[in-house]
Amino acid sequence: MRTLRSLLLILSAVVALVAAGCGKDDATPTPEQVSGDWHGSIELPGRQLAIGVNFADDGEATVDIPEQGVAAAPLTGVSADPDKVTFSIPDVPGDPKFEGTYNRDSDTIEGEFSQGGQQFPLRLTRGQVEGPARPQEPQAPFPYDTEEVSYPSGEITVAGTLTRPEGTGPFPTVVLITGSGPQDRDETLLGHKPFLLLADTLTRAGYAVLRTDDRGVGGTGGNLEHATYQELTDDIIAGMNYLRGRDDIDARRIGLLGHSEGGYLAPLAAARPDSGVAFTILLAGPAVPGSEVLLEQNRLIMAAQGATPEEISEQIGFVSGLVAIVRTGDLEAARRYVLEHNNSLPEDERSPEEAAAQMASPYMAALLNYDPAPALSALRVPTLAVYGGKDLQVPPAQSEGPMRNLLADNPDATVHTFDGLNHLLQPADKGTPDEYAAIETTMDPAVLDYLSNWLTERMPPR
């Protein structure tokens, strides 16, 4: 689930330079144009933010910010002239840009990176940027089969990856459902790939696993911002129907695992007549309406980040106003409300207009208006709901109790909270989203073991 405040800022309010690179004994000839890969680091509170820039021979350039999941994003205002090296990162608050020159003595690019009226010295050295350490990320070769798949869902095509144990099967299968916002099949976030890790873990345990790109992402068609929950559950059912048509999949043992907003969609899909869902696993799945989740996560995250009571009250007032307008069904009025609020902010805090307007999209309206109680109460298949004790995006204090109550009539329902874990089920300090990238662990191994054991007891692989 997302907060209204942008998590994609390149710099925070307090940033210091870390000069990366070393000099050479012999001067390097000055090139006609700067080209190739360059990288540097900017020091954020408690960590360094690594960035990389690639200058292509055709005058274009791209940026990589591994911790924020930014890869080969196009830059604007590019100049590769050694005497004037410039680029800007579009559609990011604060108009981040770089201006510098090539230093032939050290073979570096040196200049100033600016954002939101602040300037920071930055030195770029040759070579590709290295991503943050992710020791859990699975690496090939894998002891199982991996297949790229696609299938229709209404008028669009859904693309994804199916992993399955070696052998002929048929295999029990888990369909993974991402959290809110446009996500790829690995649910890539800030350099982490939790769905890649989950697929690897469960496939090694004997299960086939389907994970797919969201609408408008990767190989999947459509546009997520225009999608309703009806259409998103259509996509889930389409995946199950595709799997049932395969000889290597056990059609009677296909279940759903949803993370965050996926914890809304999995029970909603399971509640459809004749869906045939065999089990549901909900990781940080909300058990209260989306509007309540958004209000509480804004309150908790801002407080944890040191916002004043006045700032929190102002933000909650804005979100409450948005919710009230969305409930009327007038999304054009909601759009005007969001843009007016955005334009009232200091210039360096404003979101790009297109990004701000997405807060009044049909997709966001579906999230804010959704009440999970009917679908959760109707679940009669084995269900596991897992929370992180330090989750500030779907706080267990708000959802754990209602989840237990709503699943009370389910003959096989388990609700479990892991102390000390955040929304991504990582070991955390405060639990705020700005910690996610700095944590090397993608998902606590205790959670992976718990999921595998729960599933094996109820749906043992053959």
Side-chain angles (χ1 to χ4, degrees), residues 1 3 7 189-190 284 296-305 388-396 418-439:
M1 311 271 301
T3 66
L7 300 180
L189 176 69
L190 302 172
E296 186 64 6
Q297 69 176 213
N298 270 262
R299 182 181 294 109
L300 292 176
I301 291 172
M302 291 185 70
Q305 293 177 334
K390 291 190 175 181
D391 186 347
L392 301 185
Q393 290 186 257
V394 179
F418 286 87
D419 293 336
L421 305 189
N422 62 19
H423 187 60
L424 300 187
L425 300 172
Q426 303 168 298
D429 180 16
K430 294 183 296 183
T432 52
D434 55 15
E435 293 181 336
Y436 298 168
I439 301 171

Side-chain angles (χ1 to χ4, degrees), residues 81-96:
D81 187 319
D83 293 329
K84 187 179 181 181
V85 181
T86 65
F87 59 81
S88 298
I89 304 177
D91 301 325
V92 174
D95 189 26

Side-chain angles (χ1 to χ4, degrees), residues 281-299:
I281 299 174
L282 317 176
L283 304 184
V288 298
S291 57
E292 296 180 20
V293 178
L294 191 63
L295 285 163
E296 186 64 6
Q297 69 176 213
N298 270 262
R299 182 181 294 109

Side-chain angles (χ1 to χ4, degrees), residues 275-340:
S275 68
V277 172
F279 58 86
T280 58
I281 299 174
L282 317 176
L283 304 184
V288 298
S291 57
E292 296 180 20
V293 178
L294 191 63
L295 285 163
E296 186 64 6
Q297 69 176 213
N298 270 262
R299 182 181 294 109
L300 292 176
I301 291 172
M302 291 185 70
Q305 293 177 334
T308 66
E310 292 76 17
E311 291 171 331
I312 296 173
S313 178
E314 180 182 352
Q315 178 73 355
I316 295 303
F318 163 67
V319 178
S320 298
L322 174 62
V323 169
I325 298 173
V326 167
R327 283 178 176 163
T328 70
D330 189 345
L331 294 188
E332 181 55 35
R335 182 179 182 275
R336 291 195 301 270
Y337 174 80
V338 170
L339 293 180
E340 288 173 3

Side-chain angles (χ1 to χ4, degrees), residues 248-281:
D248 52 358
I249 302 299
D250 187 339
R252 298 169 300 172
R253 300 199 296 164
I254 302 173
L256 308 177
L257 185 157
H259 174 231
S260 192
E261 184 189 39
Y264 271 168
L265 297 175
L268 190 58
R272 288 201 180 182
D274 303 321
S275 68
V277 172
F279 58 86
T280 58
I281 299 174

Side-chain angles (χ1 to χ4, degrees), residues 138-149 160-166 185-186 196 199-200 203-204 208-211 242 246 248:
Q139 302 294 329
F142 302 117
Y144 49 79
D145 297 323
T146 299
E147 180 183 352
E148 301 301 298
V149 301
T161 300
L162 177 66
T163 54
R164 60 190 185 280
E166 293 180 343
R185 65 192 68 185
D186 294 331
L196 174 62
D200 180 80
T203 308
R204 289 173 186 268
V209 180
L210 175 66
R211 63 189 196 275
Y242 164 76
R246 296 180 59 114
D248 52 358

